[in-house]
Amino acid sequence: MTTPIPHLLLRGGNTFDSSARTFSGPRDVLCHDGRFVAAAADGAGNVLACEGMYIVPGLIDCHVHLTSSGAGNEESLTRGMPTAIRAFRAMRHAEATLRAGFTLVRDLGAPEHLNIHLARAIADGLIEGPTILAAGFGVTMTGGHGHTAIAREADGPDEVRKAVREQLRAGAGAIKLFASGGVMTPGVDPRAPSFTEAELQAGVEEAHKAFRTAAAHAQATEGIKNAIRAGVDSIEHGIWLDEEAIGLMLDRGTYLVPTLTAPTQIDAGGAEAGIPGFMLEKNKRVIEDHIASYQTAVEAGVKVAAGTDQGTPMNRPGENGQEIVLMANHGLTPATALLAATAWAAEMLGLGEERGRVDEGYIADAVVLSRDPLADITAIADPTAIVAVVKDGRVVHRNDGGTR
Ligand SMILES: [Zn+2]
């Protein structure tokens, strides 16, 4: 039998109202049995003084790789590393992610199903971390992007179907399909489509049958269109969106998870960070188009959700908040950037009814900030501004040092 969680009162904070897109209050927010509630049953509870603070919903990152540290040379660093050491590292990365206010993440590819095992260890209470929807391996064509590390190769609709079923059998909470080349695999061109529409369709069908979202890594224009037509829930990266692709996304309600942090951090890190030359070179060719595509999509009204691609070079766990800042710097308002990492992300993941809002009945995940993120969005990515992180109605992190 599990011990009941004592209720938790977040007292007197300004609370983000996701519908009004502004803070309301000050008011009390009550958590009981892991949910936000209007009134608690009797019994002793805990109180967190939030007067003068800003309460936002627990943050969501729709694209991480928790097995990766985000080192510049991660692939050479981890080559030959024992699985157990990889798992211990992933545990640390999960803890850092949670401390940054991210209470839910979707892990889109890891070696040896480590992301699925990590998700289970956290769900079972063995270790602290965000709730994880883990894809297991991504599924890619023979020689396609990701094949060297985080993907299982498959060719033809039937084999893709089988590869997806394998991930589901292992316990995957999401499915990842590779619809084009990418920056991080040597010899693979990000402008090249990979799976055919029929292959993608088979994968999406299996994912949706199991009530999982299907995410497509899609950078090349044709790859993006194949994925949208195949019915994926989200286009990851979306570097080369053209008018037709944007029209298709609007028609189908497909989300864009732009992962602006990935190219930005490769560019910032450079050769000094140990990032392989081929990546730097490919990144140079994509970064401007990537940001321009995102801006065009936002202006056209394409739905967006926040995802960092944490684990790519210099894209470290616990620094996930920078994606929200980038999304705001390049076209969203601070309030809508916050929605992209909360309510909108939850909707994309099919969890809009129970996550992403500080509202009665929702899962009690929240972040208490000392600074107003709508006045200055960088507060969301500033570890000294995070006063507390609440997950499932429990305070899982308190920042007692530093500025307060
Ligand atoms: Zn990724």
Side-chain angles (χ1 to χ4, degrees), residues 228 231-235 245-256 301-305 344 347-349:
I228 303 166
V232 299
D233 301 282
S234 62
I235 294 294
I246 286 176
L248 282 169
M249 291 180 90
L250 291 169
D251 282 354
R252 302 290 191 106
T254 316
Y255 281 78
L256 174 65
V302 169
K303 299 198 271 188
V304 291
W344 295 353
E347 282 160 26
M348 188 275 279
L349 296 170

Side-chain angles (χ1 to χ4, degrees), residues 1-19:
M1 222 183 95
T2 51
T3 33
I5 311 166
H7 70 249
L8 171 69
L9 177 67
L10 307 177
R11 194 185 62 205
N14 304 294
T15 305
F16 188 66
D17 178 332
S18 303
S19 302

